[in-house]
Amino acid sequence: MHFINNANISEKKKRALKNIAWAMGGKVASLLSVLVVGIIVARYLGEEKYGIMNYVISFVAIFQVFADFGLDLIQIREESKEPSMRDKIIGTTFALKLCFALIAFIAIFFVAWFMEDDLSIRIYIMIYACSVILNTTWVSRNHFTSIVWNEYVVKTEISRTLIGMLVKIVLVWLKLPLIWFICSLVLDSILLATGYTMSYSSKIGSIKRWSFDKSLARYMIKQSFPLLLSGAAIVIYNRIDQVMIGNMMVNKAHLGIYSVAIRFTEILVFVPTIIAQTVTPMLVETRRVSLERYEKMSRVFMNITVVTCILLAILVSLLSYPIVYCTFGATYIGASSVLSIMAFKVVGDALSQTSGQLMVIEGIQKYASIRNLIGCATCVVCNWFFIRRYGIHGAAYVALITIFVSGTLADFFIPIYRKIFYKQISALCLGWKDMLQIKTLLR
């Protein structure tokens, strides 16, 4: 932050850079804590119980997107456009999210009842489902995002992370059963809900000022519905593999092993995210000044991101055995072969994220949800066949197929995105030529 404060740039850019820095810092802290705690908890619980815990998390996560109903982005957008309507927008969003969260909670109960024969797993699911209702407090978080004050959001999340880590370590030390770890996940949501609400009350104002507006509610539902479809597709094709493994394979230990590979994949995927968040503001400014220079910068941006991720994927794939053995231990060594496959998912994510950023910058994101729907359909259909025949390795291959189909191949079939598709293919084949052009992005 000291470097940004002393930089010779406008106050507006300083604020934007600080916001990005806080966002990335919070994400890094969250990912590292999830990995560290995951290692401790996974070693203690063992493959089967760790698999059950991840099954419960993925099961509820699918319903969470319906509880959110795509309202978060609409709230942020509307607050940015009409700051004077803050209390009405937040109050209306909160009321809608609470209503959808209650519906989602009821849906979780019925689906879990019919899908799960194991009573204990049903209980775990319903305990963790309470987080769906607690997450309605994210309307406070959204407000800080709309006014570019990520500092308070990140401080809350880091505090939650540290307390959550301590609680889980104590649970391991006391050698408590799985249900306590499920309850600790709900505690994480309680800590976030409390933190967001307290930050809002101390920095912005009382939540008692929030109000509900019926006409605004109708408008927000209409605006958020397309985002719901897109968000649901993304969550389903990112989580459905774990739910399907949990349901289609009798031994939940397989899911525990698969989940270990996912923990490392989530960290890898953050690499293209960091690059995209850093470079995107520069691309926006460049396009406003010169389209010719923008075309060059956007090409270099995609090429460098993709090639960096290819090299990273190869490295992690080759070192997958020692990576898993030195962290999660010999019990989970089966995850190394899955990780050697899933490491290449970061390449697909690089192609998907960079192209997605270019779509937003160029104002052609209207059809982006089609990509997600294609990915969702591909994931469900392929997993149905691959998991039955190849188990968790089949799910790993489907994860690769899905991200490349939805994030790259789909662009060829959407005419307005075909130009970006050719850039993606060029990045895969010839991107290495631009690896020395990184200064182009920083000028």
Side-chain angles (χ1 to χ4, degrees):
M1 296 301 173
H2 180 72
F3 171 77
I4 295 174
N5 287 330
N6 292 333
N8 186 26
I9 55 178
S10 67
E11 286 301 318
K12 184 177 180 181
K13 286 186 177 180
K14 283 183 181 180
R15 189 176 180 184
L17 288 173
K18 282 183 181 179
N19 194 53
I20 293 172
W22 275 108
M24 290 194 299
K27 188 66 175 177
V28 169
S30 176
L31 285 172
L32 290 178
S33 68
V34 167
L35 180 61
V36 172
V37 174
I39 291 171
I40 296 171
V41 173
R43 280 175 172 264
Y44 168 70
L45 292 176
E47 307 134 279
E48 184 174 359
K49 290 181 180 177
Y50 186 61
I52 291 172
M53 188 171 79
N54 281 279
Y55 172 73
V56 169
I57 293 171
S58 297
F59 189 100
V60 174
I62 292 175
F63 289 88
Q64 178 66 60
V65 70
F66 294 100
D68 292 334
F69 209 82
L71 287 163
D72 292 331
L73 290 175
I74 300 301
Q75 178 195 341
I76 293 169
R77 186 192 71 186
E78 293 304 310
E79 282 199 67
S80 299
K81 286 166 53 179
E82 299 288 346
S84 61
M85 292 179 61
R86 180 192 71 201
D87 294 330
K88 187 177 291 186
I89 293 171
I90 299 176
T92 301
T93 305
F94 177 73
L96 289 173
K97 292 190 72 171
L98 183 58
C99 178
F100 290 129
L102 291 171
I103 294 172
F105 185 86
I106 295 170
I108 290 172
F109 174 80
F110 283 107
V111 174
W113 183 266
F114 287 108
M115 280 186 62
E116 270 303 324
D117 296 326
D118 192 319
L119 179 61
S120 62
I121 294 180
R122 289 181 194 167
I123 293 171
Y124 298 152
I125 288 172
M126 293 316 300
I127 290 173
Y128 185 56
C130 294
S131 63
V132 172
I133 297 173
L134 291 165
N135 289 345
T136 56
T137 57
W138 279 48
V139 292
S140 300
R141 183 189 194 279
N142 295 339
H143 174 71
F144 284 112
T145 301
S146 72
I147 59 176
V148 201
W149 274 13
N150 265 355
E151 175 183 352
Y152 301 104
V153 170
V154 173
K155 285 180 178 178
T156 295
E157 292 172 353
I158 290 177
S159 299
R160 182 286 308 263
T161 297
L162 294 175
I163 296 172
M165 285 179 63
L166 181 61
V167 169
K168 291 176 182 65
I169 290 171
V170 169
L171 295 180
V172 171
W173 181 63
L174 293 174
K175 297 182 179 180
L176 294 176
L178 176 57
I179 192 168
W180 285 90
F181 291 88
I182 301 296
C183 291
S184 74
L185 297 175
V186 179
L187 176 62
D188 289 342
S189 295
I190 293 173
L191 292 171
L192 276 183
T194 305
Y196 289 149
T197 304
M198 288 176 62
S199 295
Y200 184 92
S201 298
S202 62
K203 299 295 179 181
I204 308 299
S206 174
I207 63 174
K208 293 179 180 179
R209 297 176 184 172
W210 295 353
S211 60
F212 178 78
D213 185 279
K214 189 181 292 184
S215 60
L216 179 61
R218 285 195 294 267
Y219 168 77
M220 294 186 75
I221 291 174
K222 184 178 179 180
Q223 290 290 306
S224 63
F225 188 71
L227 296 177
L228 166 65
L229 296 178
S230 178
I234 293 173
V235 171
I236 288 173
Y237 79 65
N238 278 321
R239 292 286 188 174
I240 198 66
D241 52 352
Q242 295 174 73
V243 174
M244 292 180 76
I245 290 171
N247 271 284
M248 296 171 68
M249 303 185 74
V250 177
N251 190 352
K252 293 290 193 296
H254 293 295
L255 179 54
I257 291 171
Y258 185 78
S259 299
V260 166
I262 288 179
R263 294 290 84 79
F264 289 107
T265 306
E266 288 173 345
I267 294 175
L268 291 177
V269 169
F270 187 53
V271 173
T273 302
I274 290 177
I275 298 174
Q277 287 186 345
T278 304
V279 175
T280 296
M282 303 174 194
L283 289 174
V284 172
E285 183 66 20
T286 300
R287 189 170 188 270
R288 188 180 63 82
V289 176
S290 170
L291 286 176
E292 183 179 349
R293 178 160 169 71
Y294 164 76
E295 285 298 324
K296 181 181 179 180
M297 278 188 67
S298 62
R299 186 200 74 225
V300 173
F301 160 58
M302 182 175 287
N303 289 355
I304 289 177
T305 305
V306 170
V307 174
T308 298
C309 290
I310 289 174
L311 296 174
L312 184 61
I314 293 172
L315 180 64
V316 172
S317 183
L318 292 174
L319 297 176
S320 61
Y321 187 94
I323 288 174
V324 174
Y325 184 81
C326 293
T327 52
F328 285 84
T331 305
Y332 291 91
I333 202 61
S336 61
S337 57
V338 179
L339 178 58
S340 67
I341 299 168
M342 291 194 70
F344 289 92
K345 186 174 183 287
V346 70
V347 180
D349 271 290
L351 289 163
S352 180
Q353 288 197 43
T354 51
S355 60
Q357 291 291 342
L358 296 185
M359 291 170 192
V360 173
I361 292 170
E362 296 172 20
I364 54 174
Q365 72 273 23
K366 181 179 179 180
Y367 303 101
S369 59
I370 297 175
R371 304 198 317 167
N372 299 328
L373 292 171
I374 290 173
C376 181
T378 302
C379 182
V380 174
V381 173
C382 289
N383 268 317
W384 184 260
F385 293 101
F386 277 63
I387 292 175
R388 287 180 180 277
R389 186 161 186 176
Y390 305 108
I392 56 177
H393 293 88
Y397 282 116
V398 172
L400 293 188
I401 293 170
T402 299
I403 192 63
F404 279 101
V405 167
S406 63
T408 303
L409 184 61
D411 294 338
F412 176 79
F413 297 101
I414 304 173
I416 197 170
Y417 296 159
R418 201 162 290 160
K419 180 182 71 172
I420 293 177
F421 169 77
Y422 293 132
K423 281 186 179 180
Q424 291 172 304
I425 298 302
S426 177
L428 279 173
C429 301
L430 303 171
W432 56 270
K433 291 184 177 181
D434 278 333
M435 284 303 288
L436 299 178
Q437 300 295 319
I438 192 168
K439 290 183 179 179
T440 302
L441 298 176
L442 304 176
R443 288 173 186 166

